[in-house]
Amino acid sequence: MIQFSQNAIKRVESLKKQYPTKDACLLPVLHMAQKEFGYISPEVMEYVAGLIGISPARVYGVATFYTMYNKKTVGKYHVQVCTNISCHLEGSAKILDTLKSVLGIEEDQTTPDKMFTLSSVECLGACGFGPVVQINDDYYEQCTEQKIKDIVSDLRKK
Amino acid sequence: MAVRRIDLMLCTGTGCVAGGAFRIKDTIENEITKYGLQNEVSVVITGCNGSCGQGPLMVVQPDGIFYGWLKPEDIPFLVQEHFLKGRPVKRLMFVPLERKEPVPLMSNIPFFQKQMLIVLRNKGIIDPEKIDEYIARDGYTAIEKVLPLMKPDEVIEEIMRSGLRGRGGAGFPTGRKWKVCSDERKFPKYIIGNCDEGDPGAYMDRSLFESDPHSVIEGMTIAAYAIGASRGYIYVRTEYPLAIRRMQIALSQARDYGLLGKKILGSDFDFDVEIREGSGAFVCGEETSLIHSIEGKSPEPRQRPPFPAQIGIWGCPTVINNVETLATVPVIINRGADWFSKIGTATSKGTKIFSLVGKINNTGLIEVPMGIALREIIYEIGGGIPKNKKFKAVQTGGPSGGCIPNNLIGLPIDYESLTKSGSMMGSGGMIVMDEDTCMVDVAKFFIQFTNDESCGKCTACRDGSEALLEVLTRISEGEGKEGDVEFLEELGLAIKDASMCGLGTTLPNPILSTVRYFKDEYEAHIREKQCPARVCKKLIKYYVDPDRCVGCLLCVKTCPVSAIKGELKYIHIIDQSLCTKCGQCLEICPPRIAAVTKLTGKEARELQSLPGPIPVAEWKKTKSASKGDFRFTPYREETDREHRGDNEVP
């Protein structure tokens, strides 16, 4: 049985009072849940629904619409390759291919050691320096095949 | 605050941070302490300077000397030479491509010369995490003027007279939007700052948050006062962690100073702002979707009217402005509508921020007066196209916009001209494309994007984008049929008519504009099965030219799928059945050899490779013995003849 920490529950209670409707705190609470539990599993959805007092179906509809709520477990490092236009022109497809072969996984998969998850994402707003790869909260810019290989092997050593 | 001899304005926008700006900062601080300069030299953390292509960078004040491409190992020398001995370091300065001499002063660099900074007035000058620095640059003086001296109607009147239009893309007059909302008698009212900047290639809103968040807060407060709102939301993408953090800091500082909260500056006006994070749905930039997202629903848009200014969040009147629009407001209040309306063209007033990205020498963020010619942006500010390639087109307006071709280079950049050219202002991304860009590929790219991001509510957008994508994919794979282009146009127009929100009504634009200006490229794909820019994978083949190959094994070792056969000093051969067309062989082949080429169309279809690896020396002998009759491929016929000549003359 999953459960928020006491602090998180307090925060949810104050969020619920902040808006005219209960639904409005759903997005912030899902963000909190993702931080706390790592990803939004069906169990998390049900828990959040109970906490806010709305139907699980409603939570499911919202959580699945937004791409940044992870519905599957994510590795220690979430490697997100921007494949949008500016990065595409600078060769992000090659970076993605390199990552696939270096990590040995396809998009939206996690390595068996739970270290890396690979996804392609939309514009990260760092268009002046493509191709851009975001790993957790850090941006790596002007990636080349060699650079991205080095980054991955550095992270493996950590 | 102690007065220092030198201030180092170190850019810490997302670009420079990724480039290691904070490592640079630590190194500088260590070095200046080493020389005991800590009371003379200070490092100031600023937001995005805009010249992102040169990052990590800093500007040395008060002289205004610009240093770019900084590396930690340069710092000891720089500190010693410049800050200790007073000799600026030439090799770290900006050198324009066409000139060999470095340009020391930032104000003399062409990238900055043509710009006009109104919204970005504080970029690179203040520390965005310190409210005092914003105040020192006349920050919050507009709200000081508005609250005691102006009635809400007067504020709206002033904004209307200024001619300010929405910077999010559609260009709706801001004052009129405020008026509609202020006329509504239902309370409470809300104001939303839209920073859900999803347009590919655009990052001005992020940069604004990172360099000058208080200007957005001040603009929002003025807007709230004008329409009678007591609560504001800033809707920002989760993808922008640094921007969110800086805005949070700014909001709490403004609260501490009594610039947000109850009875602002002693007046009866109460107002506060909360940040709401989106979560990776492009459609949320559309205002009714955004409202649904804040309400905690799936962000599907709804029919308008009623407009959000009449019925918005929780059924209450709501003004939604792009954050760049809001950041312009304090300047208009301070300097007056008359001053503002003198800048720009008859219908597009003021300045606009663009992010100049793609195949351009000086990438970065620029703010220019409306009406500036595209040529000035590309060649004077942008410094032209890298590697002397030809400028082909610029894409504006993201997936809602279109491509402006080479021959419209004189186009003035304003709302009307852009719309007339088949594109639109959009949020301000400018993606520059050179001759190596395939326009069918670009169109396919954008349709893929909108197809992914379509919320699925309207059939025309959901299924129409699917059908467009299917045809475009077919064309790019060499399976295109006569009539496909006409079909794309017809369906595109139908989608425009039958979709509800901005996403659907504009999604065919990338196709319609590329068909309008680059029809020949579509036809080459369909009729000749040829990709003129040699981009579409199914229509190209990589080929090692036996006349140029020296058998160095570089490409053989690089190929990730071992599709290249060959040994040392043997001519290398690509096995087309294994090749995944990743292009790594072409990149690794040294430019002076340049043996790997891309073939398309007839050349590619009629390509006959060597039957097996043969020694380079033997190949040369065979060639001269057969007196050049020996031909493996019709491609490079000219070169063959040239080479034959080479071989005959000892």
Side-chain angles (χ1 to χ4, degrees):
Chain A
M1 177 64 189
I2 49 163
Q3 183 131 29
F4 269 140
S5 64
Q6 276 309 313
N7 271 344
I9 290 181
K10 264 190 214 143
R11 171 114 181 83
V12 174
E13 288 308 317
S14 83
L15 273 173
K16 273 161 83 173
K17 288 184 204 122
Q18 207 163 313
Y19 308 107
T21 63
K22 284 188 275 187
D23 303 52
C25 64
L26 178 53
L27 266 78
V29 173
L30 282 174
H31 277 300
M32 287 165 60
Q34 179 145 308
K35 274 207 188 94
E36 196 125 340
F37 307 122
Y39 73 109
I40 309 289
S41 63
E43 197 188 358
V44 171
M45 290 183 208
E46 220 158 299
Y47 175 67
V48 166
L51 210 56
I52 303 177
I54 54 177
S55 78
R58 190 61 182 275
V59 179
Y60 182 81
V62 169
T64 50
F65 192 100
Y66 294 94
T67 52
M68 287 189 70
Y69 294 127
N70 301 316
K71 267 71 73 180
K72 282 196 277 187
T73 49
V74 174
K76 185 173 168 204
Y77 298 105
H78 192 186
V79 183
Q80 304 173 67
V81 185
C82 173
T83 50
N84 217 306
I85 184 77
S86 314
C87 291
H88 176 77
L89 289 172
E90 301 287 344
S92 59
K94 269 180 216 164
I95 302 296
L96 190 59
D97 285 346
T98 310
L99 279 166
K100 280 181 193 168
S101 71
V102 171
L103 299 173
I105 47 174
E106 289 298 307
E107 264 178 64
D108 300 323
Q109 290 182 353
T110 304
T111 50
D113 60 2
K114 301 264 184 289
M115 279 286 276
F116 296 96
T117 300
L118 180 64
S119 355
S120 68
V121 293
E122 297 303 351
C123 190
L124 292 171
C127 316
F129 350 88
V132 177
V133 177
Q134 186 183 6
I135 304 180
N136 296 347
D137 273 352
D138 294 322
Y139 280 32
Y140 297 86
E141 300 174 340
Q142 287 173 326
C143 287
T144 57
E145 283 147 60
Q146 194 51 50
K147 190 170 167 187
I148 198 74
K149 281 179 193 164
D150 294 344
I151 293 168
V152 169
S153 70
D154 284 351
L155 290 176
R156 275 199 177 123
K157 280 182 214 140
K158 271 189 194 169
Chain B
M1 208 164 96
V3 179
R4 319 270 173 146
R5 182 164 59 89
I6 296 172
D7 284 318
L8 305 176
M9 319 303 279
L10 183 72
C11 172
T12 55
T14 289
C16 289
V17 169
F22 282 106
R23 276 205 309 280
I24 305 271
K25 176 178 180 263
D26 294 344
T27 325
I28 297 178
E29 281 172 347
N30 281 340
E31 287 296 312
I32 54 180
T33 318
K34 206 164 101 189
Y35 293 108
L37 296 173
Q38 60 271 36
N39 294 326
E40 294 179 46
V41 182
S42 71
V43 184
V44 180
I45 301 299
T46 74
C48 183
N49 166 292
S51 183
C52 308
Q54 270 74 44
L57 59 87
M58 69 177 180
V59 182
V60 183
Q61 296 293 12
D63 300 336
I65 294 175
F66 180 95
Y67 289 124
W69 293 110
L70 292 173
K71 292 191 203 75
E73 53 267 31
D74 296 327
I75 301 302
F77 183 73
L78 176 69
V79 171
Q80 209 180 51
E81 279 295 298
H82 189 162
F83 311 139
L84 191 65
K85 300 181 186 164
R87 292 194 291 243
V89 180
K90 278 194 175 170
R91 73 174 167 88
L92 298 174
M93 292 172 184
F94 175 76
V95 185
L97 282 177
E98 67 279 16
R99 278 180 274 166
K100 291 280 178 290
E101 269 300 291
V103 182
L105 297 187
M106 182 168 99
S107 51
N108 289 342
I109 296 175
F111 180 79
F112 298 101
Q113 270 178 330
K114 281 255 161 177
Q115 295 195 47
M116 182 173 193
L117 303 179
I118 292 180
V119 181
L120 297 176
R121 59 197 176 279
N122 291 328
K123 72 156 187 185
I125 294 174
I126 62 165
D127 180 341
E129 297 183 8
K130 292 187 180 141
I131 188 170
D132 291 330
E133 300 202 1
Y134 178 69
I135 292 172
R137 299 262 307 158
D138 290 340
Y140 290 108
T141 49
I143 193 73
E144 242 171 37
K145 182 174 165 186
V146 163
L147 286 183
L149 301 176
M150 292 171 85
K151 291 203 178 73
D153 283 347
E154 290 168 350
V155 178
I156 294 175
E157 177 58 29
E158 189 76 0
I159 298 300
M160 273 179 150
R161 263 190 336 111
S162 76
L164 177 66
R165 292 168 67 177
R167 299 299 192 234
F172 191 82
T174 307
R176 244 175 52 213
K177 199 185 252 185
W178 291 9
K179 180 90 183 105
V180 172
C181 187
S182 108
D183 287 346
E184 290 294 317
R185 295 273 59 98
K186 190 173 172 190
F187 288 90
K189 291 178 184 175
Y190 295 94
I191 168 99
I192 300 175
N194 186 351
C195 187
D196 189 48
E197 179 179 55
D199 272 13
Y203 61 99
M204 58 285 303
D205 295 350
R206 172 174 69 71
S207 203
L208 188 58
F209 274 35
E210 287 173 9
S211 62
D212 196 11
H214 288 284
S215 64
V216 177
I217 301 176
E218 189 178 5
M220 246 179 127
T221 313
I222 295 169
Y225 174 75
I227 61 170
S230 54
R231 188 141 194 96
Y233 294 101
I234 287 175
Y235 191 89
V236 55
R237 301 177 76 197
T238 312
E239 287 94 327
Y240 291 171
L242 184 63
I244 295 172
R245 202 170 65 231
R246 292 212 170 133
M247 185 50 88
Q248 273 162 347
I249 293 171
L251 286 173
S252 77
Q253 287 175 344
R255 270 180 219 122
D256 289 347
Y257 276 55
L259 295 161
L260 284 177
K262 300 261 177 229
K263 301 201 176 300
I264 294 172
L265 294 173
S267 68
D268 286 335
F269 175 59
D270 303 340
F271 179 66
D272 210 331
V273 178
E274 185 190 333
I275 298 179
R276 287 295 303 254
E277 288 179 43
S279 204
F282 175 72
V283 72
C284 288
E286 201 281 338
E287 45 183 27
T288 57
S289 299
L290 196 156
I291 287 173
H292 288 154
S293 179
I294 292 182
E295 288 175 345
K297 298 172 185 160
S298 291
E300 286 174 358
R302 64 157 172 78
Q303 193 68 263
R304 294 176 306 176
F307 292 97
Q310 300 158 308
I311 297 180
I313 330 181
W314 300 298
C316 302
T318 306
V319 161
I320 302 174
N321 283 139
N322 178 274
V323 289
E324 189 186 333
T325 318
L326 291 170
T328 320
V329 169
V331 192
I332 297 176
I333 298 294
N334 271 333
R335 305 189 66 169
D338 293 329
W339 168 81
F340 187 81
S341 62
K342 284 200 190 90
I343 307 164
T345 66
T347 50
S348 306
K349 300 295 185 192
T351 55
K352 174 81 191 86
I353 312 178
F354 291 100
S355 55
L356 201 54
V357 301
K359 305 287 184 188
I360 184 108
N361 277 319
N362 305 331
T363 53
L365 214 60
I366 58 167
E367 183 174 356
V368 287
M370 293 276 193
I372 189 171
L374 184 58
R375 181 187 296 108
E376 292 174 81
I377 295 183
I378 303 288
Y379 289 101
E380 293 177 38
I381 298 175
I385 315 298
K387 298 178 193 159
N388 284 322
K389 301 247 175 172
K390 261 171 46 198
F391 168 66
K392 186 170 190 175
V394 59
Q395 213 280 348
T396 69
S400 314
C403 292
I404 304 165
N406 190 11
N407 56 348
L408 291 181
I409 188 88
L411 190 81
I413 301 299
D414 58 51
Y415 291 103
E416 279 71 27
S417 310
L418 282 172
T419 308
K420 226 165 76 190
S421 77
S423 184
M424 69 183 278
M425 182 69 81
S427 56
M430 276 198 175
I431 304 161
V432 184
M433 296 162 185
D434 67 3
E435 53 188 296
D436 291 341
T437 312
C438 168
M439 300 322 268
V440 178
D441 185 58
V442 167
K444 188 175 107 182
F445 179 84
F446 278 112
I447 299 302
Q448 224 156 18
F449 177 81
T450 33
N451 178 249
D452 270 353
E453 295 294 343
S454 167
C455 78
K457 187 167 182 167
C458 306
T459 316
C461 168
R462 181 188 65 230
D463 294 345
S465 59
E466 193 81 33
L468 290 176
L469 186 58
E470 201 183 301
V471 177
L472 282 171
T473 308
R474 191 163 78 204
I475 295 174
S476 72
E477 291 181 348
E479 310 287 329
K481 298 185 299 229
E482 287 297 327
D484 273 355
V485 174
E486 290 71 19
F487 174 78
L488 287 175
E489 283 183 298
E490 194 189 336
L491 180 59
L493 292 172
I495 295 173
K496 267 175 168 299
D497 284 343
S499 302
M500 201 167 65
C501 83
L503 193 149
T505 49
T506 57
L507 84 84
N509 285 355
I511 296 187
L512 297 175
S513 77
T514 46
V515 166
R516 179 164 155 195
Y517 297 117
F518 300 97
K519 201 166 189 175
D520 52 330
E521 267 187 54
Y522 281 87
E523 281 166 356
H525 279 77
I526 294 171
R527 291 184 192 150
E528 333 285 344
K529 312 294 174 209
Q530 183 186 358
C531 174
R534 295 166 205 246
V535 170
C536 295
K537 279 189 176 182
K538 287 269 171 84
L539 299 180
I540 57 165
K541 276 182 187 164
Y542 284 87
Y543 168 65
V544 182
D545 184 348
D547 288 340
R548 301 191 69 96
C549 181
V550 294
C552 71
L553 284 179
L554 266 179
C555 61
V556 177
K557 285 183 192 150
T558 307
C559 180
V561 291
S562 309
I564 308 179
K565 308 273 172 289
E567 292 163 43
L568 191 64
K569 303 235 162 120
Y570 274 64
I571 285 167
H572 304 333
I573 298 163
I574 300 177
D575 184 340
Q576 299 296 339
S577 62
L578 295 176
C579 177
T580 56
K581 301 183 186 165
C582 69
Q584 292 188 30
C585 49
L586 192 141
E587 262 165 44
I588 199 87
C589 189
R592 65 190 163 82
I593 309 288
V596 184
T597 53
K598 282 192 267 185
L599 308 180
T600 183
K602 197 163 164 235
E603 293 166 1
R605 278 196 303 280
E606 293 178 3
L607 171 71
Q608 293 174 13
S609 297
L610 287 171
I614 55 168
V616 175
E618 200 175 301
W619 166 255
K620 289 214 167 117
K621 248 189 276 165
T622 326
K623 284 264 300 182
S624 46
S626 64
K627 297 221 163 30
D629 294 343
F630 198 79
R631 246 182 26 189
F632 284 93
T633 157
Y635 182 62
R636 282 192 161 278
E637 214 168 326
E638 282 299 314
T639 332
D640 274 357
R641 233 172 269 134
E642 285 159 24
H643 274 258
R644 196 183 330 148
D646 284 351
N647 289 344
E648 276 167 7
V649 181

